[in-house]
Amino acid sequence: MKNMLFKLWKSVDPGVAVPISVTLLLISVVSIEILYLILEEGDALGWIHEGQFWHVEHLTFFAFVLLNILGNLVMFKKRNASIQGVFLSGVSVGQGWTYCYSCECHVPPRCSHCYDCKVCILRRDHHCVFFGHCVGHQNYRYFMCCLLYMWVGLLYAIILNTEVFMTILHEGITPHSIFLLVMPWLMLVTGQVSSSAFVFAFVADTCVFGFLLVSGFLLIHIILLFGGQTKKEWFNSQFSYDLGWHRNIKELLGKRWYLVWLFPLVSSPLPGDGIDFEMKPVIYSPPKIF
């Protein structure tokens, strides 16, 4: 038994285990606080009136958001975005193909090597440090949906934490309230606040910071999604694969792109294979002769 556990421990990749563990821990902490605010503070927040349990609606919404976050995260991890298991025929090697000396094979356009994942990723966008995995052709849909529901969940958490912010600021904008909002750890260590006040302030701060961070990522990837670009192509101002917003969305989210936002198990086959990509038609303009 000890040998089996030791082998299992040795097989765990810290580059994947650590970021995903931290992400799941933060999701768990925020979720527990949301459940507490819904179940224990519902009366104070005005969600329960004359025996009518309005918190059931909040629980249903919260469960839907959390299920989509975790479901899309699992599907993101399960979908293989790399060239492993993909037949890259040498006959099809053509313009835009490059040779990867790390993988020792030719790779198609928009494919690049990730030194964290130690493999080439088809239509690689970036390596997500929060999920410990690369975002590529096969898992981009789940990354986007997970990002969207994280944004919704954090916005919802901030709204629920309004009472917490009002409680902290009830004495006005003072050094005490500012330090409690900005540096709750310091206030706890110096004995200025109780443990419960620290927990609520810390989780509320985490929600605000996480919301701002996710908002930035979501905005960037909405721009990339509509423009049919990867992050590298965006930085290089390359628009070769921009087929129009509707085609661009279908290329990454699949033929049923309008339904993938509802649930991670909704089937939406991708039109491409991540190897060959249709390029934007080049309109030739003859030089003007004066």
Side-chain angles (χ1 to χ4, degrees), residues 3-268:
N3 291 334
M4 185 175 68
L5 291 175
F6 180 75
K7 289 180 180 179
L8 182 63
W9 173 258
K10 293 290 288 184
S11 64
V12 174
D13 183 3
V16 176
V18 173
I20 200 68
S21 297
V22 172
T23 300
L24 290 176
L25 177 62
L26 291 175
I27 292 174
S28 301
V29 170
V30 174
S31 298
I32 291 172
E33 197 222 16
I34 289 177
L35 285 174
Y36 175 81
L37 290 174
I38 293 175
L39 296 176
E40 298 297 329
E41 301 294 329
D43 192 14
L45 294 175
W47 295 341
I48 304 176
H49 299 287
E50 300 178 359
Q52 295 181 350
F53 295 91
W54 296 105
H55 62 274
V56 174
E57 298 177 2
H58 287 269
L59 284 173
T60 303
F61 177 76
F62 168 68
F64 174 75
V65 172
L66 183 61
L67 183 62
N68 271 281
I69 291 174
L70 296 178
N72 280 293
L73 180 56
V74 170
M75 294 300 295
F76 172 83
K77 299 292 290 185
K78 287 182 64 176
R79 289 295 175 126
N80 180 25
S82 71
I83 61 172
Q84 293 177 344
V86 179
F87 179 67
L88 300 176
S89 175
V91 180
S92 62
V93 175
Q95 185 179 3
W97 284 63
T98 57
Y99 187 81
C100 177
Y101 289 95
S102 299
C103 296
E104 298 181 342
C105 67
H106 287 89
V107 294
R110 313 183 86 182
C111 177
S112 60
H113 190 83
C114 176
Y115 292 96
D116 293 307
C117 297
K118 300 178 178 62
V119 69
C120 283
I121 306 297
L122 294 173
R123 196 197 174 278
R124 181 176 182 267
D125 187 88
H126 70 285
H127 183 86
C128 182
V129 295
F130 298 103
F131 297 165
H133 208 67
C134 266
V135 180
H137 180 72
Q138 292 292 338
N139 59 11
Y140 194 88
R141 159 199 168 174
Y142 303 105
F143 172 77
M144 278 295 295
C145 291
C146 188
L147 203 60
L148 174 66
Y149 278 102
M150 279 185 171
W151 183 85
V152 173
L154 287 168
L155 177 61
Y156 180 59
I158 290 174
I159 294 173
L160 294 185
N161 275 290
T162 303
E163 189 75 14
V164 176
F165 291 118
M166 291 178 65
T167 302
I168 294 175
L169 296 174
H170 76 282
E171 60 188 37
I173 302 177
T174 63
H176 180 273
S177 60
I178 293 175
F179 274 101
L180 182 56
L181 284 173
V182 179
M183 291 184 290
W185 285 99
L186 181 61
M187 299 295 286
L188 178 68
V189 172
T190 56
Q192 299 295 316
V193 294
S194 63
S195 299
S196 59
F198 161 75
V199 170
F200 279 106
F202 175 74
V203 177
D205 287 353
T206 302
C207 292
V208 173
F209 177 75
F211 176 75
L212 295 175
L213 189 66
V214 172
S215 295
F217 285 139
L218 184 61
L219 177 61
I220 290 173
H221 281 282
I222 288 175
I223 295 173
L224 295 177
L225 177 65
F226 277 75
Q229 297 171 292
T230 62
K231 193 173 290 186
K232 180 180 179 181
E233 293 165 354
W234 184 46
F235 281 127
N236 295 332
S237 299
Q238 183 181 348
F239 304 93
S240 304
Y241 301 97
D242 184 3
L243 305 175
W245 71 268
H246 187 249
R247 285 282 304 278
N248 293 337
I249 292 176
K250 287 180 66 176
E251 286 289 325
L252 288 175
L253 304 184
K255 298 178 181 179
R256 304 174 71 188
W257 60 271
Y258 45 88
L259 295 177
V260 300
W261 311 101
L262 299 178
F263 199 66
L265 296 181
V266 172
S267 176
S268 183

